[in-house]
Amino acid sequence: MAGRVSALSIVDALAVELRQRLFSGELTHDDALTEAEVARSYEVARPTAKAAIEKLVGEGLLQRSTHKTARVPNLGPNDVRDIYRTREHLEAAVLRELSKTRIVPDEAVDANAEISAMTDATPLAIVEPDMRFHTALVTAMGSPRTSRAFRALVSEVRLCMVQVQGKHLLTNQSIAAEHQQILDAIAAGDGDAAAEILTSHLSRARERLAAALGGIPGPEAELTEP
Protein backbone atom coordinates (compact mmCIF):
# COMPACT_ATOMS: atom_id res chain seq x y z
CA MET A 1 0.00 0.00 0.00
CA ALA A 2 2.83 2.45 0.89
CA GLY A 3 4.52 1.86 -2.47
CA ARG A 4 1.29 2.57 -4.32
CA VAL A 5 0.79 5.90 -2.53
CA SER A 6 4.39 6.87 -3.32
CA ALA A 7 3.95 6.07 -7.02
CA LEU A 8 0.78 8.15 -7.20
CA SER A 9 2.50 11.11 -5.55
CA ILE A 10 5.25 11.02 -8.20
CA VAL A 11 2.64 11.07 -10.95
CA ASP A 12 0.87 14.00 -9.31
CA ALA A 13 4.12 15.92 -8.84
CA LEU A 14 5.06 15.38 -12.48
CA ALA A 15 1.59 16.46 -13.63
CA VAL A 16 1.93 19.64 -11.54
CA GLU A 17 5.29 20.41 -13.16
CA LEU A 18 3.95 19.88 -16.68
CA ARG A 19 0.84 21.89 -15.89
CA GLN A 20 2.92 24.83 -14.62
CA ARG A 21 5.07 24.78 -17.76
CA LEU A 22 1.93 24.77 -19.87
CA PHE A 23 0.25 27.66 -18.01
CA SER A 24 3.45 29.73 -18.14
CA GLY A 25 3.51 29.40 -21.92
CA GLU A 26 6.71 27.37 -21.92
CA LEU A 27 4.89 24.44 -23.54
CA THR A 28 2.89 25.31 -26.67
CA HIS A 29 0.99 23.53 -29.41
CA ASP A 30 4.25 23.25 -31.35
CA ASP A 31 5.88 21.11 -28.65
CA ALA A 32 5.41 17.35 -28.91
CA LEU A 33 5.45 15.43 -25.63
CA THR A 34 6.14 11.70 -25.73
CA GLU A 35 6.31 9.28 -22.83
CA ALA A 36 9.97 8.60 -23.63
CA GLU A 37 10.88 12.28 -23.67
CA VAL A 38 9.08 13.08 -20.41
CA ALA A 39 10.55 10.01 -18.72
CA ARG A 40 14.06 10.97 -19.83
CA SER A 41 13.71 14.67 -18.94
CA TYR A 42 12.41 14.03 -15.43
CA GLU A 43 14.26 10.75 -14.79
CA VAL A 44 11.10 8.77 -14.09
CA ALA A 45 9.82 5.44 -15.37
CA ARG A 46 7.83 5.47 -18.60
CA PRO A 47 4.64 4.25 -16.87
CA THR A 48 4.93 7.27 -14.55
CA ALA A 49 5.38 9.62 -17.52
CA LYS A 50 2.42 8.00 -19.25
CA ALA A 51 0.20 8.39 -16.19
CA ALA A 52 1.11 12.08 -15.80
CA ILE A 53 0.42 12.76 -19.47
CA GLU A 54 -2.89 10.90 -19.29
CA LYS A 55 -3.83 12.96 -16.25
CA LEU A 56 -3.45 16.18 -18.24
CA VAL A 57 -5.23 14.64 -21.24
CA GLY A 58 -8.14 13.91 -18.92
CA GLU A 59 -8.15 17.57 -17.84
CA GLY A 60 -8.27 18.73 -21.43
CA LEU A 61 -4.84 20.35 -21.15
CA LEU A 62 -3.21 17.96 -23.61
CA GLN A 63 -4.45 16.13 -26.69
CA ARG A 64 -2.95 12.77 -27.55
CA SER A 65 -2.48 11.19 -30.98
CA THR A 66 -2.55 7.48 -31.75
CA HIS A 67 1.27 7.55 -31.86
CA LYS A 68 1.46 8.48 -28.14
CA THR A 69 2.49 12.06 -28.86
CA ALA A 70 0.73 14.66 -26.72
CA ARG A 71 0.33 18.33 -27.61
CA VAL A 72 -1.22 21.40 -26.05
CA PRO A 73 -4.61 22.03 -27.73
CA ASN A 74 -4.72 24.99 -30.09
CA LEU A 75 -7.98 26.64 -29.03
CA GLY A 76 -9.76 28.95 -31.45
CA PRO A 77 -12.61 31.50 -31.33
CA ASN A 78 -15.36 28.87 -31.40
CA ASP A 79 -13.71 27.02 -28.51
CA VAL A 80 -13.57 30.26 -26.53
CA ARG A 81 -17.24 30.96 -27.07
CA ASP A 82 -18.24 27.43 -26.04
CA ILE A 83 -16.05 27.53 -22.92
CA TYR A 84 -17.28 30.94 -21.81
CA ARG A 85 -20.95 30.26 -22.49
CA THR A 86 -20.71 27.05 -20.50
CA ARG A 87 -19.03 29.03 -17.72
CA GLU A 88 -21.81 31.61 -17.84
CA HIS A 89 -24.59 29.02 -17.45
CA LEU A 90 -22.80 27.25 -14.61
CA GLU A 91 -21.68 30.34 -12.70
CA ALA A 92 -24.99 32.17 -13.07
CA ALA A 93 -26.76 29.23 -11.42
CA VAL A 94 -24.16 29.26 -8.64
CA LEU A 95 -24.63 33.00 -8.00
CA ARG A 96 -28.39 32.64 -7.75
CA GLU A 97 -27.95 29.79 -5.28
CA LEU A 98 -25.46 31.72 -3.13
CA SER A 99 -27.72 34.77 -3.13
CA LYS A 100 -30.52 32.78 -1.49
CA THR A 101 -28.44 32.57 1.69
CA ARG A 102 -26.31 35.67 0.95
CA ILE A 103 -23.08 33.67 1.15
CA VAL A 104 -20.02 35.77 0.23
CA PRO A 105 -16.95 33.51 0.52
CA ASP A 106 -13.86 35.07 2.13
CA GLU A 107 -11.64 33.44 -0.50
CA ALA A 108 -13.43 35.41 -3.24
CA VAL A 109 -13.07 38.66 -1.31
CA ASP A 110 -9.35 38.01 -0.77
CA ALA A 111 -8.75 37.13 -4.43
CA ASN A 112 -10.47 40.31 -5.59
CA ALA A 113 -8.45 42.42 -3.16
CA GLU A 114 -5.33 40.89 -4.68
CA ILE A 115 -6.48 41.86 -8.18
CA SER A 116 -7.19 45.43 -7.03
CA ALA A 117 -3.64 45.73 -5.73
CA MET A 118 -2.02 44.45 -8.96
CA THR A 119 -1.46 47.79 -10.70
CA ASP A 120 1.48 46.78 -12.90
CA ALA A 121 0.77 43.07 -13.37
CA THR A 122 1.02 41.26 -16.69
CA PRO A 123 -2.21 39.81 -18.18
CA LEU A 124 -1.09 36.25 -17.29
CA ALA A 125 -0.45 37.29 -13.68
CA ILE A 126 -4.05 38.46 -13.36
CA VAL A 127 -5.42 35.11 -14.56
CA GLU A 128 -4.54 33.18 -11.39
CA PRO A 129 -6.35 35.40 -8.82
CA ASP A 130 -9.19 35.96 -11.31
CA MET A 131 -9.75 32.22 -11.63
CA ARG A 132 -9.39 31.88 -7.85
CA PHE A 133 -12.20 34.43 -7.40
CA HIS A 134 -14.61 32.55 -9.63
CA THR A 135 -13.57 29.15 -8.26
CA ALA A 136 -14.21 30.34 -4.70
CA LEU A 137 -17.79 31.22 -5.62
CA VAL A 138 -18.41 27.83 -7.19
CA THR A 139 -16.76 26.01 -4.27
CA ALA A 140 -18.96 27.90 -1.79
CA MET A 141 -22.05 26.20 -3.23
CA GLY A 142 -20.75 22.93 -1.76
CA SER A 143 -21.27 20.69 -4.79
CA PRO A 144 -18.22 18.50 -5.55
CA ARG A 145 -19.51 17.62 -9.02
CA THR A 146 -20.15 21.26 -9.94
CA SER A 147 -16.69 22.16 -8.68
CA ARG A 148 -15.12 19.35 -10.68
CA ALA A 149 -16.85 20.49 -13.88
CA PHE A 150 -15.79 24.08 -13.26
CA ARG A 151 -12.15 23.14 -12.72
CA ALA A 152 -12.05 21.69 -16.23
CA LEU A 153 -13.40 24.97 -17.63
CA VAL A 154 -10.85 26.97 -15.64
CA SER A 155 -8.03 24.92 -17.13
CA GLU A 156 -9.27 25.63 -20.65
CA VAL A 157 -9.64 29.35 -19.89
CA ARG A 158 -6.02 29.42 -18.80
CA LEU A 159 -5.03 27.67 -22.01
CA CYS A 160 -6.78 30.40 -23.99
CA MET A 161 -5.01 33.13 -22.05
CA VAL A 162 -1.60 31.56 -22.60
CA GLN A 163 -2.23 31.80 -26.36
CA VAL A 164 -2.83 35.55 -26.14
CA GLN A 165 -0.34 36.37 -23.39
CA GLY A 166 0.79 39.97 -23.44
CA LYS A 167 -2.61 41.28 -24.57
CA HIS A 168 -4.68 43.26 -22.07
CA LEU A 169 -8.25 42.23 -22.86
CA LEU A 170 -9.70 43.85 -19.74
CA THR A 171 -8.13 46.20 -17.22
CA ASN A 172 -7.59 44.79 -13.75
CA GLN A 173 -9.52 47.79 -12.38
CA SER A 174 -12.60 46.83 -14.38
CA ILE A 175 -12.23 43.17 -13.42
CA ALA A 176 -12.04 44.05 -9.71
CA ALA A 177 -14.96 46.50 -10.01
CA GLU A 178 -17.30 43.97 -11.61
CA HIS A 179 -16.21 41.29 -9.18
CA GLN A 180 -17.15 43.63 -6.33
CA GLN A 181 -20.53 44.32 -7.91
CA ILE A 182 -21.14 40.57 -8.05
CA LEU A 183 -20.22 40.17 -4.37
CA ASP A 184 -22.44 43.11 -3.39
CA ALA A 185 -25.40 41.63 -5.28
CA ILE A 186 -24.92 38.27 -3.56
CA ALA A 187 -24.74 39.98 -0.16
CA ALA A 188 -27.97 41.83 -0.98
CA GLY A 189 -29.65 38.56 -1.92
CA ASP A 190 -30.19 39.68 -5.52
CA GLY A 191 -29.28 36.62 -7.57
CA ASP A 192 -30.67 37.99 -10.82
CA ALA A 193 -28.52 41.12 -10.56
CA ALA A 194 -25.43 39.05 -9.74
CA ALA A 195 -26.08 36.82 -12.77
CA GLU A 196 -26.65 39.84 -15.04
CA ILE A 197 -23.35 41.43 -13.98
CA LEU A 198 -21.58 38.10 -14.51
CA THR A 199 -23.06 37.75 -18.00
CA SER A 200 -21.81 41.19 -19.01
CA HIS A 201 -18.41 40.49 -17.44
CA LEU A 202 -17.90 37.16 -19.20
CA SER A 203 -19.45 38.23 -22.52
CA ARG A 204 -17.06 41.15 -22.89
CA ALA A 205 -14.06 38.96 -22.05
CA ARG A 206 -15.32 36.18 -24.35
CA GLU A 207 -15.64 38.33 -27.44
CA ARG A 208 -12.37 40.18 -26.91
CA LEU A 209 -10.57 36.88 -26.39
CA ALA A 210 -12.23 35.39 -29.49
CA ALA A 211 -11.04 38.41 -31.49
CA ALA A 212 -7.50 38.06 -30.13
CA LEU A 213 -7.52 34.48 -31.41
CA GLY A 214 -8.51 35.56 -34.92
CA GLY A 215 -12.30 35.61 -34.73
CA ILE A 216 -14.76 38.38 -35.56
CA PRO A 217 -15.83 39.95 -32.26
CA GLY A 218 -19.51 40.19 -31.37
CA PRO A 219 -21.09 43.42 -30.10
CA GLU A 220 -20.40 42.38 -26.49
CA ALA A 221 -16.73 43.24 -27.04
CA GLU A 222 -17.72 46.92 -27.03
CA LEU A 223 -19.58 46.81 -23.73
CA THR A 224 -18.46 49.66 -21.49
CA GLU A 225 -16.12 48.70 -18.68
CA PRO A 226 -16.94 49.98 -15.19
Side-chain angles (χ1 to χ4, degrees):
M1 178 65 72
R4 183 180 180 186
V5 172
S6 176
L8 286 174
S9 67
I10 295 171
V11 170
D12 289 341
L14 181 53
V16 166
E17 173 65 21
L18 293 174
R19 194 182 294 112
Q20 289 174 341
R21 290 179 61 195
L22 189 154
F23 287 152
S24 71
E26 182 182 346
L27 292 177
T28 70
H29 180 70
D30 295 329
D31 298 309
L33 288 177
T34 65
E35 296 171 9
E37 178 190 357
V38 171
R40 181 172 59 253
S41 298
Y42 291 95
E43 299 182 344
V44 297
R46 282 191 61 162
T48 301
K50 178 181 180 181
I53 290 172
E54 289 295 340
K55 189 176 182 69
L56 297 190
V57 169
E59 295 174 13
L61 295 179
L62 291 175
Q63 292 177 335
R64 190 160 190 166
S65 73
T66 55
H67 300 294
K68 300 184 179 180
T69 299
R71 292 183 185 273
V72 178
N74 194 23
L75 301 176
N78 290 337
D79 297 306
V80 167
R81 291 187 171 106
D82 187 42
I83 292 165
Y84 270 75
R85 284 174 178 145
T86 304
R87 276 189 68 186
E88 180 188 331
H89 294 319
L90 190 152
E91 289 191 64
V94 167
L95 297 186
R96 288 189 172 93
E97 193 67 26
L98 295 181
S99 295
K100 292 178 182 178
T101 51
R102 306 191 180 196
I103 295 176
V104 178
D106 291 339
E107 293 82 358
V109 174
D110 292 343
N112 202 39
E114 188 175 326
I115 293 171
S116 297
M118 298 174 75
T119 55
D120 299 318
T122 64
L124 272 184
I126 299 292
V127 172
E128 195 280 328
D130 181 40
M131 293 297 95
R132 192 160 12 104
F133 171 85
H134 290 276
T135 300
L137 294 173
V138 174
T139 301
M141 199 177 77
S143 167
R145 290 170 179 80
T146 302
S147 293
R148 187 161 57 243
F150 187 70
R151 281 196 298 271
L153 292 173
V154 166
S155 294
E156 291 191 289
V157 169
R158 294 187 70 165
L159 273 185
C160 294
M161 296 309 298
V162 167
Q163 291 180 202
V164 297
Q165 58 180 307
K167 295 187 178 182
H168 289 271
L169 304 178
L170 301 173
T171 66
N172 49 328
Q173 292 86 356
S174 69
I175 292 172
E178 288 185 324
H179 283 180
Q180 189 59 53
Q181 291 173 6
I182 290 171
L183 296 178
D184 291 343
I186 293 172
D190 193 342
D192 288 340
E196 184 177 341
I197 296 164
L198 173 79
T199 296
S200 176
H201 180 68
L202 293 182
S203 296
R204 187 192 304 110
R206 180 193 71 221
E207 292 307 315
R208 292 184 182 181
L209 181 52
L213 291 172
I216 298 174
E220 298 90 343
E222 302 303 323
L223 290 172
T224 303
E225 296 185 43

